[in-house]
Amino acid sequence: MQSYEQSLRQTKQFLLDHDDFLVVSHIQPDGDAVSSTLAVGWLLSCLGKKFSMLNEGPIPTRMNYLWEADKIANMSVNPPERTFSNVICVDCADFQRVGLTQRYFEPGASIVNIDHHPTNNGYGAVQLIKPDAAATAEILYDLLKTFDIAWNIDIATALYTGLLTDTGGFRYTNTTPKVMEAASDLLSHGVKGPELAETLLEEMTLPQVKVLSRALQTLEMSPNGDVAWVSVTPQDMLDCGAANEDLEGIVNYPRNIRGVEVGMLFKVIHDQAVKVSFRSAGKVNVAALAQTFGGGGHTRAAGAKVDLPLEQAIPHVVKEVSRLL
Amino acid sequence: MQSYEQSLRQTKQFLLDHDDFLVVSHIQPDGDAVSSTLAVGWLLSCLGKKFSMLNEGPIPTRMNYLWEADKIANMSVNPPERTFSNVICVDCADFQRVGLTQRYFEPGASIVNIDHHPTNNGYGAVQLIKPDAAATAEILYDLLKTFDIAWNIDIATALYTGLLTDTGGFRYTNTTPKVMEAASDLLSHGVKGPELAETLLEEMTLPQVKVLSRALQTLEMSPNGDVAWVSVTPQDMLDCGAANEDLEGIVNYPRNIRGVEVGMLFKVIHDQAVKVSFRSAGKVNVAALAQTFGGGGHTRAAGAKVDLPLEQAIPHVVKEVSRLL
Ligand SMILES: [Mn+2]
Ligand SMILES: [Mn+2]
């Protein structure tokens, strides 16, 4: 097994030794996929290499500020007119993630697999995989540093975009010292970090917004304002076309109200059962609280199931929470 | 006028030359105020100095994870029993911002003024002011680096908290390469950045949540989903106890829906006039759009006033926006 430094050198050599590359990323590309495609393209153009960039579908319009984002061909609009024998796959945990773009890979094409997913299954002739990198953009940051090329705002903006989106705006647990150091370096090249954060980090689906709206309509608080809660019924979910994942984050709204110590989301499962999510602002250990209801979790985020109808579950749980405050 | 480096040296010398300090910050302390108070306290304790930390009011409970946050006395609960002749004021743009804590300053006390507000009026015998610092915590980061002290997670967490809150989670325009470099260094001391971001960055007031809920109930979209809008009436404002500032950010909800290119907030001013806020995801220049209604702004954020009742203003404006898409 070769080291990361060896993989960097091997990848560099592959790029230097060949000409005419196809650069692809995964279907429904996210910020890191688009950025990484463009970062490889930028490097290849600096090296004077021939290359094409391709995706199975369109690039999200909110990323059209990126250098040559319009040069990533959408396969169903302007497919390549030929196949390629050197293919660079970025941010794809497995080969199938490239989608239909593989039609343009020559049989037996040399694949360079550049990725950060811990689940990457190691396809490709050249593998540059770093599972503890926050983003593929972080790996490309390292790769580009091995070349003697002057960086500009275009490449810096692309790499910053990948770091920003894959760390949720430097908020996920993959936000390492290395990520922040790279971000610092990229900002020094003139990246408009604040603008990118606004554009990229706040997307929601329509069902998410709809079910958030329903939930907020049910907002209630304890008399002294230290407990707040919202609820969602199966009918709400149906009306909004919402799945469970669309509820993610809703419990933070009651928790985030100034003065609130415990925020809760009551999700009705059926007539006699409610799932309760607890979020604490710090004073109350909600893991212990959830345990008293047979649930569990962390000190600030926990959950439990209560076998009562919603209208009984709420006062019952609120009473227990208030006892702790 | 002395340089920043000279001010750092002068401040360091003042701390070394004296003993027995009072450390205060501004009334209704924010993350930077609390963090900076504690960072100075941490430094003084490392130097073996006598000191007290004081605020006019309570420290927000969501900051109680900070090292010795409970040692910042709340003046109305446990006031000091005496006055101090050496006072360190952090994050206070003017002297009055310390509030009633000044009762505990000896007449003629030596004041050290450590702050980053461009409006700082230069009070105090020693001034350590850096108007382009993102936070007072950034200045204290520099000050502490001038001492030969081993850092730990306590001081790193305090300083990170100040940076995080005063940059809105590394999203405001004060997010410089220096800020990210310091954040990187602080994370390397074990700071739980992601946890802090969750705890500190998402607070809302009750009127804000209520008026957001009202607005989301009015959500509408164009047939093909590229324009979305919400509206707020004077009655909504009244019912929610909301001020204009509580509307900030609401227009982002329609804009942030996947596929939406232009999001709008219609705020009814009176029967015959509506204020429209426009947000673009990139494709449409909403500054130009707003200009056609006699308004203005930036390419991605603009506003205009339309002299029509709401029910006529909406279709009129939506038609103009759709024409551009
Ligand atoms: Mn990725
Ligand atoms: Mn500040």
Side-chain angles (χ1 to χ4, degrees):
Chain A
M1 168 98 194
Q2 65 185 3
S3 72
Y4 181 55
E5 285 63 34
Q6 285 169 323
S7 298
L8 285 169
R9 275 196 297 273
Q10 189 194 0
T11 307
K12 177 178 180 174
Q13 202 55 52
F14 185 92
L15 299 183
L16 292 172
D17 287 349
H18 297 81
D19 193 19
D20 193 21
F21 301 87
L22 181 66
V23 189
V24 298
S25 185
H26 59 76
I27 57 171
Q28 296 168 334
D30 57 13
D32 191 31
V34 175
S35 302
S36 296
T37 302
L38 295 171
V40 173
W42 187 87
L43 172 61
L44 292 172
S45 74
C46 288
L47 298 175
K49 302 285 182 178
K50 221 171 129 183
F51 68 96
S52 293
M53 299 182 289
L54 180 68
N55 200 276
E56 188 188 286
I59 299 309
T61 55
R62 59 194 78 212
M63 294 173 198
N64 63 10
Y65 63 87
L66 287 166
W67 173 86
E68 303 219 308
D70 57 327
K71 300 282 171 32
I72 302 179
N74 174 347
M75 218 189 90
S76 53
V77 175
N78 47 347
E81 287 164 358
R82 59 188 179 91
T83 56
F84 293 79
S85 56
N86 298 308
V87 180
I88 302 170
C89 297
V90 291
D91 205 40
C92 296
D94 66 76
F95 183 74
Q96 296 308 325
R97 291 278 290 157
V98 302
L100 298 174
T101 66
Q102 58 189 279
R103 286 187 194 163
Y104 302 96
F105 301 5
E106 208 129 278
S110 298
I111 309 275
V112 181
N113 169 3
I114 305 179
D115 186 39
H116 70 118
H117 292 92
T119 54
N120 193 295
N121 60 10
Y123 62 91
V126 178
Q127 296 166 25
L128 178 56
I129 301 164
K130 187 167 190 269
D132 61 346
T136 299
E138 180 183 327
I139 300 173
L140 291 171
Y141 177 88
D142 292 336
L143 179 66
L144 268 73
K145 285 280 174 192
T146 70
F147 289 86
D148 186 25
I149 295 174
W151 291 36
N152 64 14
I153 189 172
D154 295 331
I155 182 62
T157 299
L159 294 174
Y160 194 90
T161 295
L163 293 181
L164 188 73
T165 52
D166 265 19
T167 61
F170 310 114
R171 291 190 191 180
Y172 299 156
T173 51
N174 60 357
T175 307
T176 58
K178 165 77 186 295
V179 167
M180 297 305 260
E181 197 191 322
S184 169
D185 181 24
L186 296 169
L187 286 174
S188 74
H189 286 92
V191 173
K192 296 195 184 343
E195 264 182 38
L196 303 188
E198 198 197 316
T199 304
L200 297 168
L201 295 177
E202 287 156 14
E203 186 172 273
M204 294 176 87
T205 64
L206 184 56
Q208 260 184 309
V209 177
K210 282 182 171 171
V211 77
L212 170 64
S213 172
R214 285 288 180 101
L216 290 182
Q217 289 171 49
T218 70
L219 178 68
E220 288 186 86
M221 295 184 83
S222 61
N224 64 352
D226 53 3
V227 187
W229 61 93
V230 296
S231 56
V232 170
T233 66
Q235 190 62 48
D236 292 326
M237 300 296 283
L238 205 66
D239 293 346
C240 300
N244 266 324
E245 70 209 49
D246 296 317
L247 299 178
E248 218 175 284
I250 289 183
V251 64
N252 294 323
Y253 283 82
R255 200 283 306 262
N256 291 339
I257 296 169
R258 188 173 296 166
V260 169
E261 284 297 334
V262 177
M264 295 181 286
L265 166 66
F266 292 89
K267 196 212 164 201
V268 176
I269 302 171
H270 57 69
D271 279 1
Q272 297 293 325
V274 176
K275 196 180 158 291
V276 196
S277 303
F278 302 96
R279 289 293 182 279
S280 168
K283 217 182 246 177
V284 174
N285 175 349
V286 288
L289 174 67
Q291 271 166 24
T292 67
F293 297 104
H298 305 278
T299 55
R300 292 197 173 205
K305 188 168 149 277
V306 178
D307 291 319
L308 285 172
L310 180 64
E311 56 286 5
Q312 290 172 33
I314 292 178
H316 178 66
V317 172
V318 170
K319 205 176 126 194
E320 287 305 307
V321 177
S322 299
R323 203 198 297 271
L324 297 171
L325 280 158
Chain B
M1 169 97 193
Q2 64 184 6
S3 72
Y4 181 54
E5 283 65 32
Q6 285 170 322
S7 297
L8 286 170
R9 275 196 296 274
Q10 190 194 1
T11 307
K12 178 177 180 174
Q13 203 54 51
F14 185 91
L15 299 183
L16 293 173
D17 288 349
H18 297 80
D19 192 23
D20 193 23
F21 302 87
L22 182 66
V23 189
V24 298
S25 185
H26 60 75
I27 55 172
Q28 295 167 337
D30 56 12
D32 192 30
V34 175
S35 302
S36 297
T37 302
L38 296 172
V40 172
W42 187 87
L43 171 62
L44 292 172
S45 74
C46 287
L47 298 175
K49 302 286 183 178
K50 219 171 132 187
F51 68 96
S52 295
M53 301 182 288
L54 180 68
N55 199 276
E56 188 187 285
I59 300 308
T61 55
R62 59 193 78 214
M63 295 173 197
N64 64 11
Y65 64 86
L66 287 165
W67 173 85
E68 303 219 307
D70 58 328
K71 300 282 170 36
I72 302 179
N74 174 349
M75 215 187 93
S76 53
V77 176
N78 46 348
E81 286 165 357
R82 59 189 181 91
T83 56
F84 292 79
S85 56
N86 298 308
V87 180
I88 302 170
C89 298
V90 292
D91 205 41
C92 296
D94 66 74
F95 182 74
Q96 296 309 324
R97 291 278 289 154
V98 302
L100 297 176
T101 65
Q102 58 190 278
R103 287 189 195 161
Y104 302 95
F105 301 4
E106 207 128 277
S110 299
I111 308 276
V112 181
N113 169 3
I114 305 179
D115 187 38
H116 71 117
H117 293 92
T119 53
N120 192 295
N121 61 10
Y123 62 91
V126 178
Q127 297 166 26
L128 178 57
I129 301 166
K130 187 165 189 272
D132 61 348
T136 299
E138 180 183 329
I139 301 172
L140 291 171
Y141 177 88
D142 292 337
L143 179 65
L144 269 70
K145 286 280 176 193
T146 70
F147 289 85
D148 186 25
I149 295 175
W151 291 35
N152 64 14
I153 189 172
D154 295 331
I155 183 61
T157 299
L159 294 174
Y160 194 91
T161 295
L163 294 180
L164 188 74
T165 52
D166 264 19
T167 61
F170 310 114
R171 292 190 189 180
Y172 300 156
T173 51
N174 59 358
T175 308
T176 59
K178 166 75 186 297
V179 167
M180 297 305 259
E181 197 191 323
S184 169
D185 181 23
L186 296 169
L187 286 174
S188 74
H189 285 92
V191 173
K192 297 196 184 346
E195 263 183 39
L196 303 187
E198 198 197 313
T199 304
L200 295 169
L201 295 176
E202 288 155 13
E203 186 172 275
M204 294 176 85
T205 65
L206 184 57
Q208 260 183 309
V209 176
K210 283 182 172 172
V211 78
L212 169 64
S213 173
R214 286 286 180 102
L216 290 183
Q217 290 171 48
T218 70
L219 178 69
E220 288 185 87
M221 296 184 82
S222 62
N224 63 353
D226 54 4
V227 188
W229 60 92
V230 297
S231 56
V232 170
T233 66
Q235 189 64 49
D236 291 325
M237 301 295 284
L238 205 65
D239 293 348
C240 301
N244 266 323
E245 70 209 48
D246 295 317
L247 298 178
E248 216 175 285
I250 289 183
V251 65
N252 294 323
Y253 283 82
R255 200 282 306 264
N256 291 339
I257 296 170
R258 188 175 294 166
V260 169
E261 283 297 336
V262 177
M264 295 182 287
L265 166 66
F266 292 90
K267 197 213 162 197
V268 176
I269 303 171
H270 57 68
D271 279 2
Q272 297 293 324
V274 177
K275 196 179 157 290
V276 196
S277 303
F278 300 96
R279 289 293 182 281
S280 169
K283 217 182 245 177
V284 174
N285 175 348
V286 288
L289 174 68
Q291 271 166 26
T292 68
F293 297 105
H298 305 278
T299 56
R300 290 196 174 208
K305 189 168 148 276
V306 178
D307 291 319
L308 285 172
L310 179 65
E311 56 286 3
Q312 290 172 33
I314 291 178
H316 178 66
V317 172
V318 170
K319 206 175 125 195
E320 289 305 308
V321 177
S322 299
R323 203 198 297 273
L324 298 171
L325 278 159

